[in-house]
Amino acid sequence: MVLKKVAGARVGEDAEDLRSWLASLDGAPEVHETVVLACAQHGDERPTWAYVEGTAAEGIARRRCLACATAVHLLDSASRWTHPPMRSCIGCGTSIVEVAAGLSIPDGEHVEWVVVGVRCVECGRLAGLTDMVVDSLPLAEVLSAL
Ligand SMILES: [Zn+2]
Ligand SMILES: [Zn+2]
């Protein structure tokens, strides 16, 4: 893991660094599992580069595959969608990111909290996108809706 700080910003070299960061957030519920979110439209070679929209204020997010433009709303975001602007990196302005989710699963089976983070593919800056409190949803159900 190469997780370093550049000019005060967390920077990661790859999606694994993003996962590590999500698993060690200060002042957040414990994260038991992390998953890199990738587009399911491509067989075994799932691309991870995406555009994202979302807002932490309302706990919603959507990612759109760079390769095929398939958009996926995270969990129940679609029903609460408020059309937040596309996110771009505050460090370099790039809009393309890798996306990962951290899951708090206190009993090992039911998810209580989801945090979504992104890594800028240009400069590596890590950032939180949104987080959602979920009502003890089964892990498999959450994984299928990210
Ligand atoms: Zn795709
Ligand atoms: Zn950047």
Side-chain angles (χ1 to χ4, degrees):
M1 183 182 84
V2 184
L3 203 54
K4 55 191 177 184
K5 269 196 166 182
V6 176
R10 291 278 182 194
V11 172
E13 289 195 341
D14 55 27
E16 290 306 306
D17 288 347
L18 174 58
R19 293 177 64 189
S20 300
W21 178 65
L22 288 174
S24 61
L25 297 172
D26 288 337
E30 187 175 355
V31 166
H32 303 88
E33 190 161 321
T34 58
V35 55
V36 175
L37 306 185
C39 184
Q41 306 294 319
H42 306 265
D44 291 338
E45 289 284 316
R46 293 183 162 205
T48 57
W49 287 21
Y51 300 107
V52 291
E53 300 146 293
T55 166
E58 301 178 49
I60 55 175
R62 176 168 72 179
R63 61 188 167 84
R64 183 157 51 88
C65 174
L66 182 68
C68 76
T70 295
V72 176
H73 288 85
L74 275 71
L75 296 165
D76 67 344
S77 293
S79 65
R80 299 181 288 113
W81 197 243
T82 57
H83 302 278
M86 184 187 296
R87 187 190 171 284
S88 59
C89 178
I90 63 169
C92 73
T94 297
S95 297
I96 305 166
V97 292
E98 293 181 299
V99 193
L103 309 176
S104 186
I105 318 165
D107 69 355
E109 295 178 5
H110 297 87
V111 179
E112 302 282 351
W113 184 68
V114 177
V115 59
V116 180
V118 297
R119 189 188 79 88
C120 173
V121 301
E122 184 64 34
C123 74
R125 181 185 284 254
L126 306 175
L129 179 65
T130 192
D131 68 288
M132 310 171 188
V133 175
V134 292
D135 194 14
S136 289
L137 288 177
L139 177 58
E141 188 176 322
V142 169
L143 290 175
S144 69
L146 292 175

